[in-house]
Amino acid sequence: MALDLGNDQGELKDFNRMDVIDVQPESANINNENSIEKYLQENIVKVDTENKDITLEVLKYPVTQELYKLVMPHKIFKNENAQYPADEVRWIEAINFCNTISKILKKELCYKEVENTETGEKHWEVNENANGYRLPNIKEWFFCAKGGIKKDNYKYSGSSQIENVAWYSGNSEGHLHEVGQKQKNAAGLYDMSGNIKEFCWDTYKFSSDRIVCGGSILSDKELCEVNSDNYEHCKDNVPYQFIGFRIIRCVINK
């Protein structure tokens, strides 16, 4: 049972219709398993949904450099700070990160690359029923940014006063900031209106571009507003400054 918050752009497909290519996540850093589990235990927030059978486990911050390097220790960031959001991460790298952390923690992989047997074209597909970690789809992202079922209805994620919740063009001084320094929203999540923009799973219309939500340190106020029509799109294999991601997991309540 997948959380039905809608996924108009990046629809789920039937894996059985195509040959599945086994994707090997980046060499799992098994030695860091305990450290990764501890990090997630301390920084995962449970977000209730309108479906009582389903809870979302959401990282309360964008993936930080600290967590990224626990999973993929060879990554080098331009501006090194363990508590900065991990930025300049390609969408495809975010997918690989999700599969790798799932593998380390012995959970099902959410992502597979499949090949169309007729055309030979390859593309990524998601299994939202898997218990591993993944990117939110766009409706899940906005659901969380608006405070979950508590629906705080603020202009920004957690407040109608942008200074309370976001690092943006008006106060960032042009550089990243450590996560969690601003006010959290009603769901207990930080930095969803600023600091960095975040990749979602979804493609933009009929392109291969991926949707990006939230504002960054260079964004004007308007781009930091939590509005379901307020998002951008970027190439899936290009690193962008001040774009990162947040991970979630769908838990079936027994």
Side-chain angles (χ1 to χ4, degrees), residues 156 159-172 181-183 221:
Y156 310 102
S159 176
S160 290
Q161 302 299 317
I162 192 169
E163 301 287 342
N164 294 339
V165 293
W167 296 109
Y168 73 111
S169 61
N171 64 6
S172 70
Q181 299 301 302
K182 293 290 186 177
Q183 182 175 302
K221 289 182 178 182

PDB file of all heavy atoms in Angstrom, residues 156 159-172 181-183 221:
ATOM      1  N   TYR A 156       5.080  30.707   4.413  1.00  0.00           N
ATOM      2  CA  TYR A 156       6.313  29.940   4.302  1.00  0.00           C
ATOM      3  C   TYR A 156       6.193  28.703   5.183  1.00  0.00           C
ATOM      4  O   TYR A 156       5.203  28.540   5.900  1.00  0.00           O
ATOM      5  CB  TYR A 156       7.510  30.803   4.703  1.00  0.00           C
ATOM      6  CG  TYR A 156       7.525  32.134   3.996  1.00  0.00           C
ATOM      7  CD1 TYR A 156       7.110  33.299   4.654  1.00  0.00           C
ATOM      8  CD2 TYR A 156       7.906  32.227   2.659  1.00  0.00           C
ATOM      9  CE1 TYR A 156       7.085  34.525   3.991  1.00  0.00           C
ATOM     10  CE2 TYR A 156       7.880  33.447   1.993  1.00  0.00           C
ATOM     11  CZ  TYR A 156       7.468  34.586   2.670  1.00  0.00           C
ATOM     12  OH  TYR A 156       7.429  35.791   2.008  1.00  0.00           O
ATOM     13  N   SER A 159       5.954  29.590   9.177  1.00  0.00           N
ATOM     14  CA  SER A 159       5.656  30.967   9.596  1.00  0.00           C
ATOM     15  C   SER A 159       5.275  31.794   8.383  1.00  0.00           C
ATOM     16  O   SER A 159       5.642  31.476   7.251  1.00  0.00           O
ATOM     17  CB  SER A 159       6.872  31.601  10.284  1.00  0.00           C
ATOM     18  OG  SER A 159       6.635  32.960  10.605  1.00  0.00           O
ATOM     19  N   SER A 160       4.549  32.892   8.632  1.00  0.00           N
ATOM     20  CA  SER A 160       4.287  33.858   7.566  1.00  0.00           C
ATOM     21  C   SER A 160       5.340  34.957   7.555  1.00  0.00           C
ATOM     22  O   SER A 160       5.305  35.854   6.713  1.00  0.00           O
ATOM     23  CB  SER A 160       2.890  34.466   7.723  1.00  0.00           C
ATOM     24  OG  SER A 160       1.907  33.494   7.423  1.00  0.00           O
ATOM     25  N   GLN A 161       6.272  34.885   8.512  1.00  0.00           N
ATOM     26  CA  GLN A 161       7.398  35.814   8.563  1.00  0.00           C
ATOM     27  C   GLN A 161       8.642  35.069   8.097  1.00  0.00           C
ATOM     28  O   GLN A 161       9.154  34.198   8.799  1.00  0.00           O
ATOM     29  CB  GLN A 161       7.593  36.345   9.987  1.00  0.00           C
ATOM     30  CG  GLN A 161       6.385  37.051  10.571  1.00  0.00           C
ATOM     31  CD  GLN A 161       5.982  38.267   9.764  1.00  0.00           C
ATOM     32  OE1 GLN A 161       6.843  39.046   9.334  1.00  0.00           O
ATOM     33  NE2 GLN A 161       4.682  38.446   9.559  1.00  0.00           N
ATOM     34  N   ILE A 162       9.112  35.383   6.920  1.00  0.00           N
ATOM     35  CA  ILE A 162      10.183  34.593   6.312  1.00  0.00           C
ATOM     36  C   ILE A 162      11.460  34.568   7.149  1.00  0.00           C
ATOM     37  O   ILE A 162      12.181  33.561   7.180  1.00  0.00           O
ATOM     38  CB  ILE A 162      10.484  35.090   4.878  1.00  0.00           C
ATOM     39  CG1 ILE A 162      11.383  34.084   4.160  1.00  0.00           C
ATOM     40  CG2 ILE A 162      11.072  36.495   4.892  1.00  0.00           C
ATOM     41  CD1 ILE A 162      11.539  34.333   2.690  1.00  0.00           C
ATOM     42  N   GLU A 163      11.730  35.642   7.875  1.00  0.00           N
ATOM     43  CA  GLU A 163      12.954  35.685   8.675  1.00  0.00           C
ATOM     44  C   GLU A 163      12.966  34.603   9.754  1.00  0.00           C
ATOM     45  O   GLU A 163      14.027  34.188  10.219  1.00  0.00           O
ATOM     46  CB  GLU A 163      13.111  37.070   9.323  1.00  0.00           C
ATOM     47  CG  GLU A 163      13.184  38.218   8.352  1.00  0.00           C
ATOM     48  CD  GLU A 163      14.513  38.275   7.606  1.00  0.00           C
ATOM     49  OE1 GLU A 163      15.474  37.650   8.091  1.00  0.00           O
ATOM     50  OE2 GLU A 163      14.577  38.938   6.561  1.00  0.00           O
ATOM     51  N   ASN A 164      11.786  34.145  10.157  1.00  0.00           N
ATOM     52  CA  ASN A 164      11.705  33.139  11.215  1.00  0.00           C
ATOM     53  C   ASN A 164      12.116  31.746  10.753  1.00  0.00           C
ATOM     54  O   ASN A 164      12.532  30.919  11.567  1.00  0.00           O
ATOM     55  CB  ASN A 164      10.280  33.061  11.771  1.00  0.00           C
ATOM     56  CG  ASN A 164       9.860  34.316  12.490  1.00  0.00           C
ATOM     57  OD1 ASN A 164      10.697  35.109  12.921  1.00  0.00           O
ATOM     58  ND2 ASN A 164       8.549  34.516  12.620  1.00  0.00           N
ATOM     59  N   VAL A 165      11.971  31.487   9.450  1.00  0.00           N
ATOM     60  CA  VAL A 165      12.097  30.098   9.003  1.00  0.00           C
ATOM     61  C   VAL A 165      13.086  29.873   7.861  1.00  0.00           C
ATOM     62  O   VAL A 165      13.392  28.713   7.549  1.00  0.00           O
ATOM     63  CB  VAL A 165      10.720  29.541   8.571  1.00  0.00           C
ATOM     64  CG1 VAL A 165       9.790  29.418   9.766  1.00  0.00           C
ATOM     65  CG2 VAL A 165      10.093  30.390   7.469  1.00  0.00           C
ATOM     66  N   ALA A 166      13.582  30.920   7.233  1.00  0.00           N
ATOM     67  CA  ALA A 166      14.329  30.697   5.995  1.00  0.00           C
ATOM     68  C   ALA A 166      15.607  31.523   5.902  1.00  0.00           C
ATOM     69  O   ALA A 166      15.645  32.689   6.294  1.00  0.00           O
ATOM     70  CB  ALA A 166      13.435  31.013   4.789  1.00  0.00           C
ATOM     71  N   TRP A 167      16.642  30.893   5.334  1.00  0.00           N
ATOM     72  CA  TRP A 167      17.806  31.601   4.840  1.00  0.00           C
ATOM     73  C   TRP A 167      17.550  31.856   3.360  1.00  0.00           C
ATOM     74  O   TRP A 167      17.465  30.910   2.574  1.00  0.00           O
ATOM     75  CB  TRP A 167      19.067  30.773   5.027  1.00  0.00           C
ATOM     76  CG  TRP A 167      19.411  30.501   6.462  1.00  0.00           C
ATOM     77  CD1 TRP A 167      19.318  29.319   7.124  1.00  0.00           C
ATOM     78  CD2 TRP A 167      19.910  31.454   7.407  1.00  0.00           C
ATOM     79  NE1 TRP A 167      19.714  29.459   8.424  1.00  0.00           N
ATOM     80  CE2 TRP A 167      20.094  30.762   8.638  1.00  0.00           C
ATOM     81  CE3 TRP A 167      20.224  32.819   7.339  1.00  0.00           C
ATOM     82  CZ2 TRP A 167      20.566  31.396   9.775  1.00  0.00           C
ATOM     83  CZ3 TRP A 167      20.695  33.447   8.486  1.00  0.00           C
ATOM     84  CH2 TRP A 167      20.869  32.734   9.685  1.00  0.00           C
ATOM     85  N   TYR A 168      17.425  33.111   2.984  1.00  0.00           N
ATOM     86  CA  TYR A 168      17.086  33.468   1.606  1.00  0.00           C
ATOM     87  C   TYR A 168      17.933  34.673   1.210  1.00  0.00           C
ATOM     88  O   TYR A 168      18.851  35.073   1.952  1.00  0.00           O
ATOM     89  CB  TYR A 168      15.584  33.746   1.484  1.00  0.00           C
ATOM     90  CG  TYR A 168      15.134  35.045   2.102  1.00  0.00           C
ATOM     91  CD1 TYR A 168      14.702  36.108   1.319  1.00  0.00           C
ATOM     92  CD2 TYR A 168      15.159  35.237   3.489  1.00  0.00           C
ATOM     93  CE1 TYR A 168      14.311  37.309   1.888  1.00  0.00           C
ATOM     94  CE2 TYR A 168      14.770  36.427   4.057  1.00  0.00           C
ATOM     95  CZ  TYR A 168      14.353  37.467   3.261  1.00  0.00           C
ATOM     96  OH  TYR A 168      13.973  38.659   3.831  1.00  0.00           O
ATOM     97  N   SER A 169      17.649  35.255   0.052  1.00  0.00           N
ATOM     98  CA  SER A 169      18.510  36.324  -0.465  1.00  0.00           C
ATOM     99  C   SER A 169      18.591  37.520   0.478  1.00  0.00           C
ATOM    100  O   SER A 169      19.581  38.250   0.473  1.00  0.00           O
ATOM    101  CB  SER A 169      18.028  36.777  -1.846  1.00  0.00           C
ATOM    102  OG  SER A 169      16.704  37.294  -1.767  1.00  0.00           O
ATOM    103  N   GLY A 170      17.555  37.710   1.300  1.00  0.00           N
ATOM    104  CA  GLY A 170      17.528  38.878   2.176  1.00  0.00           C
ATOM    105  C   GLY A 170      18.329  38.757   3.448  1.00  0.00           C
ATOM    106  O   GLY A 170      18.577  39.760   4.120  1.00  0.00           O
ATOM    107  N   ASN A 171      18.764  37.548   3.812  1.00  0.00           N
ATOM    108  CA  ASN A 171      19.503  37.417   5.076  1.00  0.00           C
ATOM    109  C   ASN A 171      20.654  36.409   5.038  1.00  0.00           C
ATOM    110  O   ASN A 171      21.375  36.250   6.021  1.00  0.00           O
ATOM    111  CB  ASN A 171      18.545  37.030   6.218  1.00  0.00           C
ATOM    112  CG  ASN A 171      17.901  35.664   6.022  1.00  0.00           C
ATOM    113  OD1 ASN A 171      18.235  34.923   5.092  1.00  0.00           O
ATOM    114  ND2 ASN A 171      16.960  35.325   6.890  1.00  0.00           N
ATOM    115  N   SER A 172      20.848  35.721   3.914  1.00  0.00           N
ATOM    116  CA  SER A 172      21.829  34.633   3.875  1.00  0.00           C
ATOM    117  C   SER A 172      23.264  35.099   3.694  1.00  0.00           C
ATOM    118  O   SER A 172      24.204  34.331   3.942  1.00  0.00           O
ATOM    119  CB  SER A 172      21.495  33.682   2.727  1.00  0.00           C
ATOM    120  OG  SER A 172      21.735  34.309   1.479  1.00  0.00           O
ATOM    121  N   GLN A 181      18.769  25.996  12.078  1.00  0.00           N
ATOM    122  CA  GLN A 181      19.006  27.235  12.818  1.00  0.00           C
ATOM    123  C   GLN A 181      17.777  28.136  12.854  1.00  0.00           C
ATOM    124  O   GLN A 181      17.723  29.078  13.636  1.00  0.00           O
ATOM    125  CB  GLN A 181      20.173  27.989  12.190  1.00  0.00           C
ATOM    126  CG  GLN A 181      21.483  27.223  12.195  1.00  0.00           C
ATOM    127  CD  GLN A 181      21.931  26.835  13.589  1.00  0.00           C
ATOM    128  OE1 GLN A 181      22.114  27.697  14.452  1.00  0.00           O
ATOM    129  NE2 GLN A 181      22.098  25.541  13.828  1.00  0.00           N
ATOM    130  N   LYS A 182      16.815  27.824  12.005  1.00  0.00           N
ATOM    131  CA  LYS A 182      15.579  28.599  11.983  1.00  0.00           C
ATOM    132  C   LYS A 182      14.446  27.787  12.617  1.00  0.00           C
ATOM    133  O   LYS A 182      14.616  26.648  13.028  1.00  0.00           O
ATOM    134  CB  LYS A 182      15.225  28.982  10.539  1.00  0.00           C
ATOM    135  CG  LYS A 182      16.208  29.961   9.893  1.00  0.00           C
ATOM    136  CD  LYS A 182      16.111  31.347  10.505  1.00  0.00           C
ATOM    137  CE  LYS A 182      16.967  32.366   9.772  1.00  0.00           C
ATOM    138  NZ  LYS A 182      16.815  33.728  10.321  1.00  0.00           N
ATOM    139  N   GLN A 183      13.284  28.374  12.677  1.00  0.00           N
ATOM    140  CA  GLN A 183      12.121  27.763  13.324  1.00  0.00           C
ATOM    141  C   GLN A 183      11.603  26.578  12.494  1.00  0.00           C
ATOM    142  O   GLN A 183      11.559  26.631  11.276  1.00  0.00           O
ATOM    143  CB  GLN A 183      11.043  28.843  13.436  1.00  0.00           C
ATOM    144  CG  GLN A 183       9.760  28.454  14.122  1.00  0.00           C
ATOM    145  CD  GLN A 183       8.846  29.661  14.253  1.00  0.00           C
ATOM    146  OE1 GLN A 183       9.220  30.677  14.840  1.00  0.00           O
ATOM    147  NE2 GLN A 183       7.659  29.577  13.663  1.00  0.00           N
ATOM    148  N   LYS A 221      11.807  36.228  -1.769  1.00  0.00           N
ATOM    149  CA  LYS A 221      10.740  35.761  -0.883  1.00  0.00           C
ATOM    150  C   LYS A 221       9.718  34.899  -1.619  1.00  0.00           C
ATOM    151  O   LYS A 221       9.265  33.880  -1.106  1.00  0.00           O
ATOM    152  CB  LYS A 221      10.029  36.949  -0.238  1.00  0.00           C
ATOM    153  CG  LYS A 221      10.837  37.707   0.806  1.00  0.00           C
ATOM    154  CD  LYS A 221       9.987  38.820   1.400  1.00  0.00           C
ATOM    155  CE  LYS A 221      10.750  39.571   2.482  1.00  0.00           C
ATOM    156  NZ  LYS A 221       9.912  40.634   3.089  1.00  0.00           N
TER     157      LYS A 221
END
